[in-house]
Amino acid sequence: MKILFVAAEATPLVKVGGLADVIGSLPKALVEIGHDVRVIMPGYGIIDPANFTTSTVIGNLNIAVMGRTEQVSLKVTELGTKVRVYLVDSDDFRNSIEVYGKGDLERFLLFCRAVLDILSKLDWQPEIVHCHDWHTALIPLWLKKNNCHYASIFTIHNLAYQGFFDARFLIDADLEKDWQLRPTDMPDPPLNFMGQGILWADMVTTVSETYAKEILTPEYGAGLDHLLRYRQDKLFGIVNGLDYDEYNPAIDDFIPAKYDVCAVDKRIDNKRALQKRARFAGGVEVPLIGMVSRLDEQKGLDILTASFDILLQKTEAQMFILGRGREEYHNLLRQAASRYPEQLAVFIDFDDTLARLIYAGCDMFLMPSRFEPCGLGQLIAMRYGAVPVVHHTGGLADTVQDLTQDMSKGSGFVFQGYDSEAMLAAIQRAVNSYTKKAWQNVMRRIMALDFSWHASAKRYESIYRKALELKNS
Ligand code: GLC
């Protein structure tokens, strides 16, 4: 099949979050099982031209947006992975220093319109247009409205980001007619981009089976649960895989000591390096909890920051936290780190090299997310032999099985209720288990689990087939 991925970010060109990892790796896995997959995304100015040479495919397109005309062109770059990436080049994207930020609504409106226009002019014609997250969500609507022959898939990576706007934007963006057009039984579309993808795509998917069920409820539906229930028979959860070439402790040049499942004892050198980085005095026998995360409520920062005093006074555990997010949490974390300098290290940063050292050096990896569509951290942690401690939600529930008491089965420490007490109890269990002999077996077991993309790519393949059948019926 010929499949076009449409998304706002993709590794290795630009990455803000897990979306980029998916767009950077799922197409490769689909190519491996015989499909022709290309990606189209904005040509941000921050994409380093030294690393990616581009050539122009289509020049000088005039796209009408917000009552003016924007000049757009289409470039292409070849990644060494047999996946071609098209870049939509416009002043707006070229001049922006951040992937997301001010002016997002206008920029992604332009992106969606440009993709539609480009599709009609491109010499390579896909059968499937696979759109990801709100930035691309108007495309399924316009494909339907224009009776295009492509089947559309819309994947929700995070329902919390919807591309909200107000009634004024609806008029200025000339979207009023689009919002009125719908079958009588269809729910009223809300004032955001995301809803349109859900309502109009031939198939809707999200990134784990549990999240696919959770978002049908008001608690997790972020105000869109009624739209999702309306599309329920076309909604599927497919868990994300991990790029096993990219994340492999046996060949990872960013970590001090490489290791594999047969030599997990070598991890200790990485742990030493991590403790040194944190300026912790304690020895390597002290349990070390790692965390790499966006620092906001979704990721459980509210229950975490409320728990430091109990956690660090009751246990001797050390903790290493890396991430960025809300200012409020930066401050709370910094304050806690200055209260417990021997036990808590906080790095407010995006730093892939340090992140890898954490995965390779910590004993436990904490993800207390309030909700988690899929989550990548727990998959990397397991691949690197760090035992995950997670809240039972979304993709965390689907990928981490609670360890039995004797640790002979399971892959991590899972807590059910979303509160400090439940999280602290799970951490305490992990810390108590750390000294047991079975810990080594758990490390080896989780490193040997298979979270590669192959199985999930097969599931996408069958969704694409269903979408095509539906389209042609
Ligand atoms: C979003 C979600 C995360 C998921 C990622 C990729 O960032 O929050 O759970 O893993 O998208 O699908």
Side-chain angles (χ1 to χ4, degrees), residues 9 16-23 132-133 155-159 161 206-208 211 238 240 294 298-299 367 369 371-379 395-396 453 460:
E9 42 175 306
V16 176
L19 172 63
D21 292 284
V22 174
I23 309 304
H132 296 263
D133 265 355
T155 295
I156 300 163
H157 291 264
N158 193 338
L159 207 55
Y161 301 92
T206 187
V207 289
S208 69
Y211 192 61
I238 304 177
N240 287 336
R294 182 154 42 80
Q298 181 199 332
K299 301 294 181 179
M367 280 182 83
S369 309
F371 67 95
E372 193 61 78
C374 178
L376 191 67
Q378 83 279 18
L379 302 181
L396 297 174
W453 268 109
Y460 275 108

Side-chain angles (χ1 to χ4, degrees), residues 45-277:
I46 45 173
I47 296 175
D48 189 351
N51 293 340
F52 307 98
T53 40
T54 59
S55 52
T56 302
V57 185
I58 305 174
N60 299 336
L61 289 171
N62 289 325
I63 309 287
V65 65
M66 306 299 284
R68 47 172 212 273
T69 304
E70 286 286 333
Q71 281 254 317
V72 168
S73 67
L74 185 70
K75 304 215 159 123
V76 71
T77 181
E78 293 280 349
L79 299 181
T81 55
K82 300 202 187 109
V83 177
R84 234 174 251 190
V85 180
Y86 294 109
L87 298 168
V88 174
D89 193 41
S90 76
D91 282 347
D92 262 8
F93 284 116
R94 211 177 317 110
N95 298 333
S96 61
I97 45 164
E98 283 187 320
V99 174
Y100 306 120
K102 225 174 131 244
D104 268 1
L105 291 170
E106 288 82 359
R107 287 196 289 146
F108 288 111
L109 175 73
L110 168 68
F111 178 61
C112 289
R113 289 211 196 280
V115 170
L116 250 286
D117 204 26
I118 287 163
L119 268 171
S120 68
K121 298 189 168 66
L122 203 59
D123 55 356
W124 178 84
Q125 285 293 304
E127 293 148 277
I128 306 282
V129 177
H130 188 166
C131 302
H132 296 263
D133 265 355
W134 76 263
H135 326 97
T136 65
L138 298 180
I139 296 171
L141 159 78
W142 290 332
L143 291 179
K144 266 275 153 44
K145 198 176 112 184
N146 298 342
N147 276 322
C148 296
H149 61 275
Y150 319 103
S152 65
I153 314 289
F154 182 65
T155 295
I156 300 163
H157 291 264
N158 193 338
L159 207 55
Y161 301 92
Q162 301 178 1
F164 296 104
F165 51 76
D166 57 17
R168 182 78 241 162
F169 182 87
L170 193 72
I171 299 164
D172 293 348
D174 196 17
L175 290 171
E176 277 173 297
K177 278 210 200 79
D178 292 333
W179 252 245
Q180 279 153 14
L181 166 108
R182 61 179 182 276
T184 46
D185 69 328
M186 189 182 267
D188 285 349
L191 292 185
N192 65 49
F193 282 45
M194 189 72 133
Q196 298 295 327
I198 294 168
L199 289 172
W200 294 101
D202 291 312
M203 292 280 181
V204 180
T205 73
T206 187
V207 289
S208 69
E209 280 180 32
T210 297
Y211 192 61
K213 289 189 201 113
E214 286 172 341
I215 55 180
L216 297 173
T217 66
E219 190 190 347
Y220 287 96
L224 299 181
D225 44 295
H226 62 299
L227 304 192
L228 289 155
R229 287 195 298 275
Y230 172 75
R231 294 304 314 278
Q232 196 165 352
D233 61 332
K234 299 288 179 304
L235 170 68
F236 297 89
I238 304 177
V239 72
N240 287 336
L242 184 66
D243 187 331
Y244 269 30
D245 302 326
E246 182 61 35
Y247 294 104
N248 180 358
I251 54 167
D252 190 330
D253 287 330
F254 295 101
I255 58 176
K258 296 180 188 148
Y259 59 97
D260 62 16
V261 70
C262 303
V264 285
D265 47 322
K266 287 195 191 147
R267 284 185 98 250
I268 210 83
D269 292 335
N270 297 319
K271 182 169 177 181
R272 272 201 199 92
L274 189 57
Q275 287 177 317
K276 198 167 160 212
R277 190 77 185 261

Side-chain angles (χ1 to χ4, degrees), residues 257-331:
K258 296 180 188 148
Y259 59 97
D260 62 16
V261 70
C262 303
V264 285
D265 47 322
K266 287 195 191 147
R267 284 185 98 250
I268 210 83
D269 292 335
N270 297 319
K271 182 169 177 181
R272 272 201 199 92
L274 189 57
Q275 287 177 317
K276 198 167 160 212
R277 190 77 185 261
R279 298 173 200 263
F280 291 151
V284 283
E285 66 292 343
V286 180
L288 176 52
I289 306 165
M291 194 164 168
V292 178
S293 180
R294 182 154 42 80
L295 304 174
D296 66 15
E297 273 92 58
Q298 181 199 332
K299 301 294 181 179
L301 265 288
D302 49 351
I303 58 170
L304 178 70
T305 48
S307 308
F308 282 132
D309 289 324
I310 301 181
L311 173 65
L312 300 174
Q313 284 170 22
K314 252 177 91 175
T315 72
E316 54 157 6
Q318 299 171 340
M319 213 172 162
F320 199 118
I321 303 176
L322 168 69
R324 257 185 184 291
R326 283 190 44 192
E327 202 55 42
E328 169 197 352
Y329 291 119
H330 297 178
N331 294 335

Side-chain angles (χ1 to χ4, degrees), residues 35 200 280 332 393:
H35 301 292
W200 294 101
F280 291 151
L332 285 170
T393 186

